[in-house]
Amino acid sequence: MVRREVLARNALVAGYVAVIAAVLVFDSGRLWVWAGIIASLPLFWVVGGFHLWRRICPLSFFSQIPRLLGRPGDRKVTGWLADNALLAQLGVMVLALSARLLWINGSRLGLAAFLLAVAALAIASGAVFRGKTWCNFLCPVGLVERVYTEPVRLLGTENSQCATCSACKTHCPDIDVERSYWKGTPDRDRTIAYFAWPGIVLGFYLHYWLQAGTWDWYFSGDWTRESDVASKVLSTGWFFADVPRLAAAPLTLVASGLASYGLFSGGHRLALRAARGPD
């Protein structure tokens, strides 16, 4: 890493810690996180590129702390997770988005605890598994990064591979993101994750209306100030049906994801049929 990237990474790591403190101190801290920081990340990924973000991401740094302390993990991911990493990341993201709707959005303690828990999981991953296992198999943000940046990037940036490759992943995107994309394109987990993701995003925002019956709750920002939200998990989750929030939030995301997958997979089959032409 060049000096300016080291400085950027250190600033982001310090910023991550500062955000946790700000969330606990300032009532508007949650709004800063959701409407400012999180909302701006996709733009940075598209403009800065996949590899730049992987080199300066604070969660990636946290996962490397055990290595920096001389106690790196050496296990390699195998089995189902090795073959379905994107599905696993999608599942973790659905859980995280459900937690946002049920507790994290409006709770200072919830958001701070969530950010601390993700950092702790990244560190634990680095203590158990080799290389960039956290980034490639476990981090929920990893899926979204790849949706926005694969298979090519706007700017030509150097790769983000480890100084010494640990062979933690076949066709590692940190070495060559485009090759990783094309080698993985036929994989069913990629197809499901990429086709379902747009619907999950739509379902997440649609849920604010489904719960309140109006968009006022969302556009006013009141959802970031609902400090007693955790006590309401058994209250009505959809304005049109007596389903508790605890079930309504994940059901909205899953149903939207399934609808999205069905729509895009059907469109994909039609496009392939049209490209082949008449038999």
Side-chain angles (χ1 to χ4, degrees):
M1 291 176 64
V2 298
R3 178 177 174 79
R4 63 176 178 273
E5 290 179 356
V6 173
L7 293 174
R9 183 200 63 193
N10 293 344
L12 287 176
V13 170
Y16 191 97
V17 176
V19 164
I20 295 174
V23 164
L24 292 172
V25 172
F26 299 104
D27 189 54
S28 57
R30 287 153 288 175
L31 185 60
W32 300 345
V33 171
W34 302 128
I37 298 171
I38 299 299
S40 65
L41 283 178
L43 177 61
F44 180 88
W45 295 334
V46 172
V47 175
F50 177 86
H51 293 304
L52 175 60
W53 174 250
R54 299 276 272 212
R55 292 197 296 271
I56 65 176
C57 173
L59 291 177
S60 177
F61 172 80
F62 292 144
S63 74
Q64 296 303 307
I65 287 178
R67 178 184 62 80
L68 297 174
L69 296 177
R71 301 293 297 273
D74 193 43
R75 292 185 61 182
K76 182 175 181 178
V77 170
T78 58
W80 183 89
L81 181 56
D83 297 330
N84 298 278
L86 291 174
L87 275 184
Q89 290 178 313
L90 180 67
V92 175
M93 180 59 85
V94 169
L95 290 176
L97 292 176
S98 298
R100 277 193 59 181
L101 294 170
L102 293 171
W103 180 40
I104 298 170
N105 273 346
S107 169
R108 295 184 184 184
L109 180 60
L111 179 53
F114 175 76
L115 294 174
L116 283 171
V118 173
L121 288 172
I123 295 172
S125 170
V128 175
F129 297 101
R130 64 176 68 171
K132 292 193 173 185
T133 294
W134 166 261
C135 302
N136 289 319
F137 294 95
L138 302 173
C139 179
V141 181
L143 166 65
V144 190
E145 293 170 10
R146 298 181 70 167
V147 168
Y148 276 99
T149 60
E150 287 182 329
V152 294
R153 52 194 181 274
L154 292 178
L155 299 177
T157 59
E158 296 179 1
N159 63 33
S160 49
Q161 70 186 79
C162 299
T164 301
C165 181
S166 63
C168 67
K169 179 175 175 57
T170 305
H171 308 309
C172 176
D174 289 287
I175 295 176
D176 188 333
V177 68
E178 184 172 0
R179 181 173 183 270
S180 174
Y181 174 83
W182 291 116
K183 288 292 185 180
T185 295
D187 293 346
R188 185 167 176 78
D189 70 317
R190 180 188 297 272
T191 302
I192 295 173
Y194 280 37
F195 286 176
W197 177 244
I200 291 171
V201 173
L202 178 62
F204 175 80
Y205 289 104
L206 182 63
H207 184 73
Y208 292 101
W209 177 78
L210 292 175
Q211 181 172 306
T214 174
W215 284 110
D216 293 343
W217 183 48
Y218 176 75
F219 287 111
S220 67
D222 287 344
W223 54 278
T224 67
R225 296 183 288 271
E226 194 177 16
S227 58
D228 61 341
V229 63
S231 66
K232 300 178 180 179
V233 294
L234 297 181
S235 62
T236 302
W238 292 327
F239 75 89
F240 57 88
D242 189 17
V243 176
R245 290 188 183 187
L246 187 62
L251 281 175
T252 299
L253 298 177
V254 171
S256 299
L258 289 174
S260 178
Y261 173 75
L263 177 64
F264 282 106
S265 61
H268 184 235
R269 286 194 294 270
L270 290 174
L272 289 177
R273 189 177 303 167
R276 295 190 193 103
D279 294 334

